[in-house]
Amino acid sequence: MQTFKELGLSEEILKALGEIGFETPTEIQASAIPKLLNGDPDMIGLAQTGTGKTAAFSLPLLDTIS
């Protein structure tokens, strides 16, 4: 099982995730976050409702602009 830290998110984002109780990434998050942090512009993510797609795409964006 991966952690958000292993995905390459910044300490600032990791702190915020800890404060809201996010402990481990979902499958879509574990797949998407490293690719998006590395600048992959052609990412398509498909997953069921409630699996964390919004966080999968927004956390790398926030990490990049923070």
Side-chain angles (χ1 to χ4, degrees):
M1 182 175 288
Q2 285 188 305
T3 65
F4 283 106
K5 185 171 186 162
E6 292 172 325
L7 299 180
L9 293 167
S10 68
E11 289 298 322
E12 185 177 25
I13 298 293
L14 293 171
K15 180 181 176 198
L17 289 172
E19 289 174 359
I20 61 174
F22 281 34
E23 296 178 7
T24 56
T26 64
E27 186 177 344
I28 188 71
Q29 293 165 350
S31 296
I33 290 172
K35 290 178 183 177
L36 294 170
L37 285 174
N38 287 326
D40 188 344
D42 297 321
M43 177 71 196
I44 296 174
L46 300 172
Q48 293 279 35
T49 300
T51 57
K53 290 183 301 295
T54 301
F57 290 99
S58 62
L59 290 174
L61 174 65
L62 292 170
D63 194 89
T64 302
I65 62 172
S66 65

